[in-house]
Amino acid sequence: MSEARDRPEVVVLRIGHRPFRDKRVTTHVGLTARAFGASGIVIADFKDKAVERSIEKIVRVWGGDFWVRSGDSWREVVEEWKKRGKTVVHLTMYGKSLQGALSELRGKDLMVVVGSEKVPREVYEVADFNVAIGNQPHSEVAALAVFLDRLFEGKELHMEFKGGKMRVIPSERGKRVEKIRIGGA
Ligand code: SAM
């Protein structure tokens, strides 16, 4: 799977971010979105420069063109996306099984909404699909990872992240990391 956008655009919308409590989890939602093949993340309703910077630092070091934005109203982001004829998927333990929805979701540009504490009723109504990753409560990070991995059928794990400064050399033990020379191979 190359990173070039020759495949549908998948954008994550993180709602309910509380700047004083959720910095770490929201950063992990962003890093998971990037590592599992999404194009970018919108952190709704609160501008959080610290979270933006943490995610952008990872992009600078490890590559790729993942983007992050925060502070926009979730309603406006969703309205804008739907106005462009695109699909909104809300991940919730109360939704229908992922397995049943996958064939309808593959190949479409998707906005994937994940919550935090309490998700407003309106989100369930505005979403084109309310999808459960099992019907037990767990976490937005786990739900997003499983969703993207099933959507992309595992191919995202072989994606190339171009333009980074570092690359991991996979090894059985220890940590092997190579610096990438600019302009060189
Ligand atoms: N009871 C909360 C609610 O209103 O949905 C659950 C909050 S949970 C800590 C945070 C987020 O994780 C949810 O908004 C949802 O996006 C995601 N999540 C948790 N369990 C899930 C599941 N089984 N399937 C899909 N998403 C899930």
Side-chain angles (χ1 to χ4, degrees):
M1 189 176 189
S2 85
E3 199 199 12
R5 301 280 168 225
D6 51 357
R7 59 196 164 89
E9 188 184 17
V10 177
V11 171
V12 172
L13 174 62
R14 162 53 154 176
I15 60 173
H17 170 69
R18 297 155 297 179
F20 295 105
R21 290 190 52 179
D22 293 332
K23 280 194 193 308
R24 192 172 144 80
V25 177
T26 299
T27 302
H28 286 187
V29 170
L31 298 184
T32 300
R34 170 183 174 272
F36 286 79
S39 313
I41 182 170
V42 179
I43 300 159
D45 300 319
F46 287 99
K47 186 89 195 151
D48 196 327
K49 272 283 170 201
V51 172
E52 283 188 25
R53 276 196 295 269
S54 304
I55 297 170
E56 283 165 353
K57 186 174 169 198
I58 294 292
V59 176
R60 272 198 306 283
V61 175
W62 296 100
D65 55 6
F66 187 82
W67 54 265
V68 53
R69 210 167 81 204
S70 69
D72 301 349
S73 136
W74 74 259
R75 277 186 196 81
E76 284 172 22
V77 172
V78 166
E79 265 169 31
E80 183 55 35
W81 188 261
K82 291 194 73 155
K83 232 188 267 167
R84 288 157 61 198
K86 300 185 180 200
T87 306
V88 175
V89 184
H90 169 219
L91 300 186
T92 166
M93 62 184 278
Y94 305 105
K96 300 278 285 268
S97 127
L98 169 65
Q99 208 50 42
L102 273 176
S103 62
E104 289 187 78
L105 298 178
R106 287 205 180 110
K108 290 193 171 123
D109 288 342
L110 302 179
M111 176 158 283
V112 185
V113 185
V114 292
S116 171
E117 191 96 312
K118 179 132 181 59
V119 174
R121 181 86 240 149
E122 217 181 318
V123 174
Y124 293 78
E125 277 146 26
V126 83
D128 299 294
F129 295 85
N130 287 289
V131 167
I133 311 297
N135 296 109
Q136 297 300 317
H138 44 81
S139 126
E140 49 273 51
V141 178
L144 183 62
V146 171
F147 176 81
L148 293 174
D149 188 63
R150 296 281 168 92
L151 182 75
F152 294 131
E153 302 175 284
K155 296 188 185 87
E156 80 288 354
L157 299 180
H158 308 287
M159 202 166 79
E160 241 188 280
F161 290 85
K162 294 202 176 107
K165 296 183 178 134
M166 311 271 265
R167 171 166 56 216
V168 169
I169 313 293
S171 57
E172 250 169 62
R173 288 194 183 76
K175 302 196 233 177
R176 289 189 63 202
V177 175
E178 181 182 68
K179 278 194 183 159
I180 300 166
R181 271 179 288 143
I182 294 164

